[in-house]
Amino acid sequence: MCIFAYLACLFWQRCFLRNYRNQQDPKYKKLPDYRRHPGSVIFYLTSVLLVLSAVAFVYFYTCFTSGNTVRLGFSIFSDFSPHVAITSGFGSGSNFPTQYPHFAGDNIQYHFMFYFLTGNLQAMGLPIVWAINLPSILCMGSALALLGTLAVLLSSRRSAFIFAPVLVLFRSAWNVFHQFSELTSAPGGSFGSAIRAITKQAAWYEYTIRDEWGIWAINVYANQRHLALGVGLVLVLIFLFLPHFRRKADPLHPWGSVILAGLIAVSMPFFHGSCLICALLVLFGMAIFSEFRLGYAIIAAVSVISASVQAWFFAGGASNVASFQYNFGFVIPELAGKEKAGIGTVFSSLGTIADYLYKIGFLTVILTAALFVGLLVYGIVKKKNLYRPVLILAFSIPMVFAFFCQVSLEVLANHKFIQVSFILFDIFVAGILANLLALPVKVAKKEEASDEEEEKKPSGRAMPKKAFIPVQIASAALCLCLTFGLTATGISEWFIYYNVNTHDGGFVELHPDAQIVDWVSKNTGEDDIFLTPMWSVNDFFLSGRRVYYGWPYFAWSAGHDTATRQINYQWLLCGCNGDINEFRRYCGEMNIRYVILSNDYYGNSETRDYYYPEFFEQNLTEMIRFDDGTAIYKV
């Protein structure tokens, strides 16, 4: 934080120094002035405040405090429960060496550093809701501001700064149009009834595979709080290398960019490993058509070395964190069973992949593809710099990677690679909208030219002022129509997000002042491990302690061997077949110090047939029994 605070101040000073040099030294004329027009300041400040307000709503709507109760929205509580546990593990416990709270004793294979940050904030006194939400808002707001800034840089249009965040918050997809068609064509369906149904729905509309999980919707940012941080770092790395890609013989000193990018690359693997892969893929595409390739190679080498060292330290080896293997087709049902497809199958399946991308991306995909072709043809004909169409290709590499390579056990996790590409495509789509919006303004400014200037123009080149009016109307109308088409599905998903998590029952409650939290925090060691029901979200995790076997999906998707752990877990529940000595031996080996008896064991088919409470009651010492009947026994 100290390093980056210093760099921020240094760069701020450099902006003012640049203006002075531009006036005094002709060789610095290649660099743009740092302008501070009141209109620009008001526009950018207002845009940032609007974005932060929208982001704050997203995060606080599904994670908030009511009295002494922490409430998690129904759309996020499942995946969010390990995040709460990891945060509490650092904030209330002592999670060193770091372990997964739902799967203690097997290191950690999850990129947990964001929750290490939130845990430190909790340890310093912030309530857990604020400890999680505050960094989430800052990271998401910063990432969207960076996205908008890059859109302005590449489009030369100020309004792109607000278009880009809007396109991310309200994603483009064909979903709502397909749903609207279904609703209106149903018996008794009408325009009004379809709109009412869309605005009242409380479940994610399933159009493509796993849409019912909301993996592409606004919900994904509320669920995966560390994703925005990863996207922001990807954008920073693009910014640092863009000068060497965009211009030749750039006057900026390249090694300053490399040092800054190196600091990010070194720290990034366990902040968001998937986004680090995205960054390396995009930079690889940029490096092919860029100068100063040595800088790209250095960042790639630093990233791989840092990731390998951190994986060895935190997870016991790189293969435990990521295992790259060829897997064609992502999760497209039509391509199921073609995981090892050859080149012929790949080419024959391109239509299926294109149709899938059209459904989940709609106008974002169409406009980006059209812009790529248009810029490429224009650049070739006019002999212009082709960095923009090439940059579109570089931005698409993570999306292509998602269809050919599997990184983790859960192939659905590849959706982040596609999502990052779509976010980067929004930069160019925002530029299209901004230029359409600017066209009437540019025409109006031309019309304000004096009659004397008009007379100086060669005859035949001037167009009557009235002829511009249809162009202005058409441009503004096209911008409006495209904006609606791009955001319609996102708007409908905001209604779903609101309805699913309504505050009158669409949430799961956690109680920081619960009896179990208070007793465990005060009477057990910070490193003690508990044998518990297969809890996913539970008050217990607010104590900062870890469990031997929590809800297995979290640990399985992170790469842990849940199959073996489940067998041992069921063996423990029956008291190691009634052998107290063997039970104590294995518990000592795994640092299991306490057993929690609860009726929750009976609610799961994988535990009810193995749970033998009499064994624990007869052989272990009861420490406390709570009002709900839950009891804690000491091994």
Side-chain angles (χ1 to χ4, degrees), residues 12 47 168 193 196 211 213 268 370 428 447 459 488 506 511:
W12 184 272
S47 298
V168 174
S193 65
R196 286 192 296 272
D211 266 345
W213 289 7
M268 199 169 171
F428 288 97
E447 290 180 350
S459 60
H511 308 88

PDB file of all heavy atoms in Angstrom, residues 12 47 168 193 196 211 213 268 370 428 447 459 488 506 511:
ATOM      1  N   TRP A  12       0.778  11.608 -10.276  1.00  0.00           N
ATOM      2  CA  TRP A  12      -0.045  12.830 -10.264  1.00  0.00           C
ATOM      3  C   TRP A  12       0.834  14.049 -10.550  1.00  0.00           C
ATOM      4  O   TRP A  12       0.479  14.926 -11.334  1.00  0.00           O
ATOM      5  CB  TRP A  12      -0.731  12.959  -8.916  1.00  0.00           C
ATOM      6  CG  TRP A  12      -1.674  14.129  -8.822  1.00  0.00           C
ATOM      7  CD1 TRP A  12      -1.369  15.392  -8.445  1.00  0.00           C
ATOM      8  CD2 TRP A  12      -3.070  14.125  -9.134  1.00  0.00           C
ATOM      9  NE1 TRP A  12      -2.485  16.188  -8.483  1.00  0.00           N
ATOM     10  CE2 TRP A  12      -3.545  15.449  -8.904  1.00  0.00           C
ATOM     11  CE3 TRP A  12      -3.963  13.154  -9.568  1.00  0.00           C
ATOM     12  CZ2 TRP A  12      -4.873  15.798  -9.093  1.00  0.00           C
ATOM     13  CZ3 TRP A  12      -5.286  13.515  -9.755  1.00  0.00           C
ATOM     14  CH2 TRP A  12      -5.731  14.822  -9.530  1.00  0.00           C
ATOM     15  N   SER A  47     -20.105  10.384 -12.968  1.00  0.00           N
ATOM     16  CA  SER A  47     -20.127   9.005 -13.461  1.00  0.00           C
ATOM     17  C   SER A  47     -19.597   8.040 -12.415  1.00  0.00           C
ATOM     18  O   SER A  47     -20.181   6.968 -12.183  1.00  0.00           O
ATOM     19  CB  SER A  47     -19.290   8.892 -14.740  1.00  0.00           C
ATOM     20  OG  SER A  47     -19.813   9.706 -15.767  1.00  0.00           O
ATOM     21  N   VAL A 168     -21.301  -3.495 -18.515  1.00  0.00           N
ATOM     22  CA  VAL A 168     -20.906  -4.586 -17.610  1.00  0.00           C
ATOM     23  C   VAL A 168     -22.006  -4.868 -16.594  1.00  0.00           C
ATOM     24  O   VAL A 168     -22.352  -6.025 -16.332  1.00  0.00           O
ATOM     25  CB  VAL A 168     -19.582  -4.246 -16.890  1.00  0.00           C
ATOM     26  CG1 VAL A 168     -19.249  -5.311 -15.839  1.00  0.00           C
ATOM     27  CG2 VAL A 168     -18.442  -4.144 -17.884  1.00  0.00           C
ATOM     28  N   SER A 193     -48.657  -8.445 -20.097  1.00  0.00           N
ATOM     29  CA  SER A 193     -48.475  -9.594 -19.211  1.00  0.00           C
ATOM     30  C   SER A 193     -47.046 -10.102 -19.247  1.00  0.00           C
ATOM     31  O   SER A 193     -46.510 -10.552 -18.228  1.00  0.00           O
ATOM     32  CB  SER A 193     -49.435 -10.719 -19.604  1.00  0.00           C
ATOM     33  OG  SER A 193     -49.135 -11.214 -20.900  1.00  0.00           O
ATOM     34  N   ARG A 196     -44.940  -7.759 -17.111  1.00  0.00           N
ATOM     35  CA  ARG A 196     -45.201  -7.999 -15.691  1.00  0.00           C
ATOM     36  C   ARG A 196     -44.525  -9.285 -15.224  1.00  0.00           C
ATOM     37  O   ARG A 196     -43.957  -9.340 -14.129  1.00  0.00           O
ATOM     38  CB  ARG A 196     -46.711  -8.068 -15.430  1.00  0.00           C
ATOM     39  CG  ARG A 196     -47.406  -6.729 -15.471  1.00  0.00           C
ATOM     40  CD  ARG A 196     -48.832  -6.832 -14.924  1.00  0.00           C
ATOM     41  NE  ARG A 196     -49.654  -7.700 -15.759  1.00  0.00           N
ATOM     42  CZ  ARG A 196     -50.340  -7.271 -16.826  1.00  0.00           C
ATOM     43  NH1 ARG A 196     -50.285  -5.993 -17.172  1.00  0.00           N
ATOM     44  NH2 ARG A 196     -51.076  -8.120 -17.523  1.00  0.00           N
ATOM     45  N   ASP A 211     -27.697 -21.311 -16.941  1.00  0.00           N
ATOM     46  CA  ASP A 211     -28.260 -19.967 -16.755  1.00  0.00           C
ATOM     47  C   ASP A 211     -29.057 -19.895 -15.462  1.00  0.00           C
ATOM     48  O   ASP A 211     -29.189 -18.825 -14.857  1.00  0.00           O
ATOM     49  CB  ASP A 211     -29.172 -19.606 -17.933  1.00  0.00           C
ATOM     50  CG  ASP A 211     -28.439 -18.826 -19.017  1.00  0.00           C
ATOM     51  OD1 ASP A 211     -27.337 -18.338 -18.735  1.00  0.00           O
ATOM     52  OD2 ASP A 211     -28.966 -18.719 -20.130  1.00  0.00           O
ATOM     53  N   TRP A 213     -28.257 -20.822 -12.710  1.00  0.00           N
ATOM     54  CA  TRP A 213     -27.363 -20.471 -11.601  1.00  0.00           C
ATOM     55  C   TRP A 213     -26.994 -18.986 -11.606  1.00  0.00           C
ATOM     56  O   TRP A 213     -26.343 -18.509 -10.688  1.00  0.00           O
ATOM     57  CB  TRP A 213     -26.091 -21.315 -11.659  1.00  0.00           C
ATOM     58  CG  TRP A 213     -26.293 -22.754 -11.303  1.00  0.00           C
ATOM     59  CD1 TRP A 213     -27.477 -23.382 -11.072  1.00  0.00           C
ATOM     60  CD2 TRP A 213     -25.278 -23.751 -11.140  1.00  0.00           C
ATOM     61  NE1 TRP A 213     -27.277 -24.710 -10.782  1.00  0.00           N
ATOM     62  CE2 TRP A 213     -25.934 -24.964 -10.811  1.00  0.00           C
ATOM     63  CE3 TRP A 213     -23.899 -23.750 -11.236  1.00  0.00           C
ATOM     64  CZ2 TRP A 213     -25.237 -26.153 -10.584  1.00  0.00           C
ATOM     65  CZ3 TRP A 213     -23.203 -24.930 -11.017  1.00  0.00           C
ATOM     66  CH2 TRP A 213     -23.860 -26.114 -10.689  1.00  0.00           C
ATOM     67  N   MET A 268      -0.304 -11.526  -7.765  1.00  0.00           N
ATOM     68  CA  MET A 268      -1.632 -11.835  -8.304  1.00  0.00           C
ATOM     69  C   MET A 268      -2.081 -13.293  -8.192  1.00  0.00           C
ATOM     70  O   MET A 268      -3.289 -13.537  -8.097  1.00  0.00           O
ATOM     71  CB  MET A 268      -1.690 -11.400  -9.763  1.00  0.00           C
ATOM     72  CG  MET A 268      -3.101 -11.245 -10.317  1.00  0.00           C
ATOM     73  SD  MET A 268      -3.069 -10.441 -11.930  1.00  0.00           S
ATOM     74  CE  MET A 268      -4.771 -10.629 -12.437  1.00  0.00           C
ATOM     75  N   ALA A 370     -18.353  -7.202 -35.908  1.00  0.00           N
ATOM     76  CA  ALA A 370     -18.521  -6.253 -37.010  1.00  0.00           C
ATOM     77  C   ALA A 370     -17.469  -5.153 -36.947  1.00  0.00           C
ATOM     78  O   ALA A 370     -16.908  -4.745 -37.987  1.00  0.00           O
ATOM     79  CB  ALA A 370     -19.928  -5.644 -36.959  1.00  0.00           C
ATOM     80  N   PHE A 428     -14.880  -1.759 -26.541  1.00  0.00           N
ATOM     81  CA  PHE A 428     -15.090  -1.354 -27.937  1.00  0.00           C
ATOM     82  C   PHE A 428     -16.561  -1.050 -28.219  1.00  0.00           C
ATOM     83  O   PHE A 428     -16.871  -0.133 -28.984  1.00  0.00           O
ATOM     84  CB  PHE A 428     -14.589  -2.462 -28.869  1.00  0.00           C
ATOM     85  CG  PHE A 428     -13.091  -2.570 -28.907  1.00  0.00           C
ATOM     86  CD1 PHE A 428     -12.430  -3.502 -28.125  1.00  0.00           C
ATOM     87  CD2 PHE A 428     -12.339  -1.725 -29.706  1.00  0.00           C
ATOM     88  CE1 PHE A 428     -11.052  -3.598 -28.152  1.00  0.00           C
ATOM     89  CE2 PHE A 428     -10.966  -1.814 -29.746  1.00  0.00           C
ATOM     90  CZ  PHE A 428     -10.309  -2.749 -28.961  1.00  0.00           C
ATOM     91  N   GLU A 447     -21.760  23.138 -37.883  1.00  0.00           N
ATOM     92  CA  GLU A 447     -22.759  24.078 -38.391  1.00  0.00           C
ATOM     93  C   GLU A 447     -22.577  25.468 -37.817  1.00  0.00           C
ATOM     94  O   GLU A 447     -23.065  26.452 -38.369  1.00  0.00           O
ATOM     95  CB  GLU A 447     -24.162  23.560 -38.073  1.00  0.00           C
ATOM     96  CG  GLU A 447     -24.541  22.332 -38.877  1.00  0.00           C
ATOM     97  CD  GLU A 447     -25.934  21.851 -38.542  1.00  0.00           C
ATOM     98  OE1 GLU A 447     -26.507  22.357 -37.562  1.00  0.00           O
ATOM     99  OE2 GLU A 447     -26.448  20.980 -39.253  1.00  0.00           O
ATOM    100  N   SER A 459     -16.227  24.943 -53.511  1.00  0.00           N
ATOM    101  CA  SER A 459     -17.628  24.712 -53.872  1.00  0.00           C
ATOM    102  C   SER A 459     -17.868  23.242 -54.135  1.00  0.00           C
ATOM    103  O   SER A 459     -17.007  22.539 -54.667  1.00  0.00           O
ATOM    104  CB  SER A 459     -17.978  25.524 -55.122  1.00  0.00           C
ATOM    105  OG  SER A 459     -17.143  25.119 -56.198  1.00  0.00           O
ATOM    106  N   ALA A 488     -31.008  -4.912 -22.260  1.00  0.00           N
ATOM    107  CA  ALA A 488     -32.346  -5.423 -21.913  1.00  0.00           C
ATOM    108  C   ALA A 488     -32.271  -6.649 -21.014  1.00  0.00           C
ATOM    109  O   ALA A 488     -32.978  -6.733 -19.994  1.00  0.00           O
ATOM    110  CB  ALA A 488     -33.127  -5.747 -23.194  1.00  0.00           C
ATOM    111  N   GLY A 506     -35.906 -13.534   1.479  1.00  0.00           N
ATOM    112  CA  GLY A 506     -34.962 -14.046   0.507  1.00  0.00           C
ATOM    113  C   GLY A 506     -33.536 -14.006   0.988  1.00  0.00           C
ATOM    114  O   GLY A 506     -32.645 -13.549   0.258  1.00  0.00           O
ATOM    115  N   HIS A 511     -25.719 -15.345  12.975  1.00  0.00           N
ATOM    116  CA  HIS A 511     -25.838 -14.618  14.240  1.00  0.00           C
ATOM    117  C   HIS A 511     -24.476 -14.547  14.929  1.00  0.00           C
ATOM    118  O   HIS A 511     -24.044 -15.515  15.570  1.00  0.00           O
ATOM    119  CB  HIS A 511     -26.856 -15.314  15.148  1.00  0.00           C
ATOM    120  CG  HIS A 511     -28.175 -15.555  14.486  1.00  0.00           C
ATOM    121  ND1 HIS A 511     -28.454 -16.705  13.747  1.00  0.00           N
ATOM    122  CD2 HIS A 511     -29.300 -14.783  14.416  1.00  0.00           C
ATOM    123  CE1 HIS A 511     -29.676 -16.640  13.284  1.00  0.00           C
ATOM    124  NE2 HIS A 511     -30.216 -15.487  13.668  1.00  0.00           N
TER     125      HIS A 511
END
